[in-house]
Amino acid sequence: MILIAGAGIAGLSLGLTLHQLGLPFRIFERVAEPKPLGVGINLQPNAVRELFDLGLEAQLDGIGIRTRQYGFYTKTGLPIWVEPRGAAAGYAWPQLSLHRGKLQMLLLEELRRRAGADVVVTGAGVVGFETSDHSATVILEDGRRVEGRVAIAADGIHSAIRRQMVPDEGEPIWNGAIMWRGTSPGRHFLGGNAMFLAGHDSQRFVAYPLTPEDPATGLATINWIAELRVDPARAMAKGDWNRPADKADFLPAFEGWDFGWVDCPGLIRDSGLVYEYPMVDREPLPAWTTGSVTLMGDAAHATFPVGSNGATLAIIDARKLGAAFRDHGVTREALLAYEAEMRPRAEGILRANRGKGPDAVMQMVEDLCGGTFDDLEPILPRATLAAHAEHYKRLSGFSVDVLNAQPPIIGSMEPAA
């Protein structure tokens, strides 16, 4: 039996993968009744490929849209680097923009339908573990102990399993930036199914649609993120996470950001509840595996939300773990094989994201010309921008030529009857 702590995107993707492989598992989730929380996320083509291989293409198209374009802009809305994405860029799979909570609910419902309702045990948070080289036991909040061959921590950035492995680590590391996130009714921009990022390191705005435009109203659901760097001495305790925020805290800073093709302050004003998140990550670990227990997703490699890579990497973790179990059996050797492949890759992405990853071009332009130009080519050549974008794609595993030529991690399946 494979024991999994956490029924988020990482744990549920692993559950679906293990069911595909015919391996027994149980997922233990702290929340008694999971709900579709969060806001928008993007899934890169390498992760979408894996979900399609799990037979989820039609369901995913029902809850999100296929992203066509991705671009960086100055604080006044001038284009810096704009590129096609997904099928428009030649990938064999799309990039998807969708609501994080809807994705989680889709994965949960599909897993229960395929593998049975009892594979996800809710109201059963994992608070600790015991392990040897040949077995693992998870300890639940109510004192119950469940033994299996291996245990996987998919319990997020505040993972109890990671805390036991690294007891002196402390809270996540805050970089001094705060993100405010919300959704608003609005029209598509930049030709439709487009994502944009505007500004620079100390202030930026990101937006993309999560739905098509409604034929009756012409409006879609637009996901947006407003980000400001603030006084790093400000207290950002764990209790501040995901808390409702006051728009007056950040709206004034964006009042001038109406670019004609999109009205950023208008999106903020038209939104419902807005949530505040500190921009945090964790230091890379020298190892993920203790005995027969290992880490995945944010428990292993929580990173800044740069490059649309967090959920993507969690899904790839799940598929790589499944492939390791297929190749090495449900053993510690499988966990070590998975870690050997994924830990260096995840650390490279984490460190690149600390340097702003692909988003760094916005600060480059701000530094070179204050974000104002008639012709960007003599200031920052297009060839330099293209090389910067391609470097991050290769680092993250979704360079178009490389990904299209790669064999599948596990392979495709038809949805279970």
Side-chain angles (χ1 to χ4, degrees):
M1 177 74 72
I2 297 166
L3 310 176
I4 304 168
I9 291 169
L12 294 169
S13 298
L14 180 57
L16 285 163
T17 297
L18 298 177
H19 177 257
Q20 179 187 5
L21 294 168
L23 296 173
F25 65 94
R26 283 290 181 278
I27 299 176
F28 300 92
E29 168 56 42
R30 176 183 59 82
V31 174
E33 185 182 351
K35 291 182 171 62
L37 302 177
V39 282
I41 60 171
N42 272 262
L43 297 178
Q44 298 295 357
N46 51 335
V48 174
R49 175 187 193 175
E50 299 307 319
L51 296 180
F52 282 12
D53 280 354
L54 283 165
L56 297 173
E57 180 172 359
Q59 295 96 315
L60 289 166
D61 279 333
I63 63 169
I65 64 169
R66 299 187 175 209
T67 307
R68 177 191 58 84
Q69 179 177 294
Y70 180 91
F72 298 104
Y73 296 78
T74 69
K75 63 192 176 191
T76 57
L78 297 175
I80 297 170
W81 172 257
V82 181
E83 64 180 29
R85 280 296 174 107
Y91 287 95
W93 306 272
Q95 176 175 326
L96 295 179
S97 298
L98 67 174
H99 189 283
R100 183 204 171 280
K102 289 184 178 180
L103 173 61
Q104 183 181 2
M105 292 300 101
L106 184 160
L107 297 175
L108 176 61
E109 290 162 9
E110 193 65 23
L111 182 60
R112 284 172 165 165
R113 187 182 74 81
R114 295 181 185 186
D118 62 340
V119 297
V120 180
V121 184
T122 57
V126 173
V127 296
F129 68 89
E130 294 174 356
T131 187
S132 70
D133 285 349
H134 307 290
S135 69
T137 299
V138 296
I139 303 165
L140 305 183
E141 287 174 317
D142 63 6
R144 282 181 293 162
R145 301 162 62 84
V146 185
E147 186 172 349
R149 293 285 298 276
V150 299
I152 314 297
D155 48 349
I157 193 170
H158 294 296
S159 167
I161 289 178
R162 178 172 174 139
R163 190 180 310 119
Q164 183 175 332
M165 287 183 179
V166 195
D168 298 328
E169 183 173 37
E171 290 295 302
I173 302 163
W174 180 43
N175 76 346
I178 298 176
M179 298 176 293
W180 292 270
R181 306 188 66 161
T183 59
S184 307
R187 294 188 177 276
H188 280 219
F189 35 76
L190 298 169
N193 289 36
M195 176 178 183
F196 79 87
L197 305 89
H200 45 77
D201 281 2
S202 58
Q203 182 175 2
R204 68 174 187 160
F205 195 89
V206 182
Y208 50 91
L210 298 177
T211 65
E213 290 180 338
D214 183 277
T217 66
L219 299 177
T221 299
I222 306 297
N223 183 85
W224 57 264
I225 305 161
E227 179 186 321
L228 291 173
R229 190 166 295 277
V230 300
D231 182 353
R234 170 176 168 170
M236 289 297 291
K238 178 179 175 181
D240 288 331
W241 273 66
N242 203 27
R243 70 179 183 90
D246 185 345
K247 296 176 190 178
D249 289 344
F250 64 97
L251 175 57
F254 291 92
E255 280 293 2
W257 289 43
D258 183 345
F259 304 147
W261 49 267
V262 68
D263 179 0
C264 300
L267 285 173
I268 296 171
R269 280 191 292 269
D270 291 344
S271 65
L273 197 58
V274 173
Y275 293 96
E276 177 181 284
Y277 301 75
M279 180 84 88
V280 296
D281 69 0
R282 286 198 181 277
E283 280 297 321
L285 294 178
W288 289 351
T289 306
T290 298
S292 297
V293 180
T294 200
L295 309 174
M296 71 177 297
D298 279 354
H301 45 68
T303 180
F304 296 151
V306 172
S308 302
N309 233 335
T312 290
L313 200 53
I315 292 164
I316 300 299
D317 282 351
R319 301 297 276 174
K320 291 291 187 180
L321 256 174
F325 290 137
R326 178 198 62 197
D327 296 342
H328 301 278
V330 181
T331 60
R332 170 176 162 81
E333 287 68 32
L335 303 184
L336 293 173
Y338 147 77
E339 179 186 332
E341 181 170 3
M342 291 305 298
R343 188 171 57 80
R345 176 168 159 185
E347 180 171 342
I349 293 170
L350 188 152
R351 294 194 184 282
N353 285 359
R354 285 183 174 178
K356 294 297 181 180
D359 303 18
V361 296
M362 295 187 289
Q363 187 61 41
M364 291 180 197
V365 172
E366 182 70 14
D367 290 341
L368 289 167
C369 61
T372 302
F373 53 83
D374 294 319
D375 180 6
L376 186 58
E377 183 65 23
I379 301 168
L380 189 58
R382 185 167 179 79
T384 302
L385 292 166
H388 181 81
E390 178 62 19
H391 173 76
Y392 189 80
K393 289 174 193 158
R394 288 186 178 274
L395 177 71
S396 302
F398 63 96
S399 174
V400 59
D401 294 336
V402 175
L403 179 60
N404 283 351
Q406 277 178 351
I409 296 173
I410 290 176
S412 61
M413 62 169 289
E414 293 299 320

